[in-house]
């Protein structure tokens, strides 16, 4: 059928084996690898992670070991990425008001067998779009967020530059 991507969401609802059993989960994951081979397509397994403490993704983003259950699933996977809601720290860094942070999610590389993982997070904004039948569906729209600079950081930078220039002028005067 010329299928390019087969998405399984959520992975846990497609089997009845013990989620914490490495042997059993490895067998299920290998079945999906075989589907990918025989179908000549990508297989994307959507899997849940343990819940971040106090709903903050700090320390969880980009960490494949936060996946629930057996670690053998991660061993079979060729690529692992994490998707988390914006943390309070990220919200402050990008100047996003607390009441708007629910609209943003970050995607981080956690494992890549066939390439290097990227240290750069990708940001998405949750949006609603109307499709041809008139229904509204949610999408993740890729966006670029820029860190905001506080006035204190600006003053600190300017102070450092001025100190270096004064030191340089003083050295020239003494020479």
């Amino acid at each position: 059928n010329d299928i390019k991507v087969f998405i399984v969401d959520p992975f846990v609802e497609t089997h009845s084996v013990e989620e914490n059993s490495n042997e059993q989960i490895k067998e299920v994951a290998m079945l999906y690898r075989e589907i990918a081979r025989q179908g000549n397509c990508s297989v994307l397994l959507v899997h849940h992670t343990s819940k971040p403490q106090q709903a903050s993704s700090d320390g969880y983003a980009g960490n494949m070991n936060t996946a629930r259950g057996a670690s053998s699933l991660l061993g079979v996977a060729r690529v692992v990425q994490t998707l988390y809601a914006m943390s309070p720290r990220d919200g402050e860094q990008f100047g996003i008001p607390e009441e708007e942070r629910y609209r943003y999610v970050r995607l981080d590389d956690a494992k890549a067998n066939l390439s290097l993982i990227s240290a750069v997070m990708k940001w998405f904004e949750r949006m609603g779009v109307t499709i041809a039948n008139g229904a509204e569906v949610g999408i993740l729209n890729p966006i670029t967020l820029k860190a905001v600079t506080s006035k204190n950081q600006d003053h600190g930078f300017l102070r450092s530059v001025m100190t270096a220039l004064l030191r340089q002028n003083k050295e020239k005067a003494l020479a």
Side-chain angles (χ1 to χ4, degrees):
N1 293 323
D2 200 31
I3 296 170
K4 301 294 182 204
V5 180
F6 174 43
I7 301 173
V8 179
D9 181 11
F11 168 70
V12 71
E13 290 184 15
T14 66
H15 62 81
S16 60
V17 304
E18 169 56 43
E19 186 178 42
N20 294 309
S21 168
N22 277 313
E23 295 79 20
Q24 293 176 2
I25 289 295
K26 181 179 177 183
E27 291 294 321
V28 175
M30 289 172 58
L31 289 172
Y32 282 110
R33 182 186 288 167
E34 191 57 28
I35 289 171
R37 282 189 187 127
Q38 288 187 27
N40 194 31
C41 68
S42 296
V43 174
L44 174 64
L45 302 178
V46 178
H47 186 57
H48 292 271
T49 62
S50 54
K51 301 291 183 215
Q53 295 177 353
Q54 291 136 12
S56 175
S57 60
D58 295 333
Y60 284 64
N63 182 353
M64 72 177 183
N65 295 314
T66 61
R68 282 186 358 189
S71 62
S72 62
L73 178 61
L74 303 171
V76 174
R78 295 287 178 243
V79 175
V80 177
Q81 295 180 310
T82 61
L83 184 70
Y84 280 103
M86 180 176 276
S87 72
R89 188 178 82 193
D90 286 335
E92 290 172 14
Q93 177 184 354
F94 295 112
I96 306 295
E98 187 174 345
E99 63 275 5
E100 294 294 315
R101 292 179 189 158
Y102 74 93
R103 295 177 39 213
Y104 300 92
V105 294
R106 67 183 278 176
L107 181 71
D108 294 86
D109 287 346
K111 176 184 177 181
N113 280 10
L114 305 175
S115 66
L116 294 174
I117 63 171
S118 173
V120 178
M121 68 190 88
K122 296 169 189 79
W123 284 101
F124 297 86
E125 182 178 11
R126 293 177 173 139
M127 302 178 73
V129 296
T130 304
I131 58 175
N133 69 2
E136 186 172 313
V137 296
I139 65 162
L140 295 177
N141 185 43
I143 59 168
T144 301
L145 294 177
K146 299 211 187 277
V148 296
T149 307
S150 74
K151 290 180 182 177
N152 290 342
Q153 289 173 323
D154 285 344
H155 290 289
F157 174 73
L158 292 174
R159 195 172 302 121
S160 298
V161 170
M162 289 174 58
T163 302
L165 289 172
L166 289 171
R167 188 177 305 129
Q168 193 175 38
N169 283 341
K170 185 177 181 180
E171 290 171 3
K172 284 182 182 179
L174 293 174

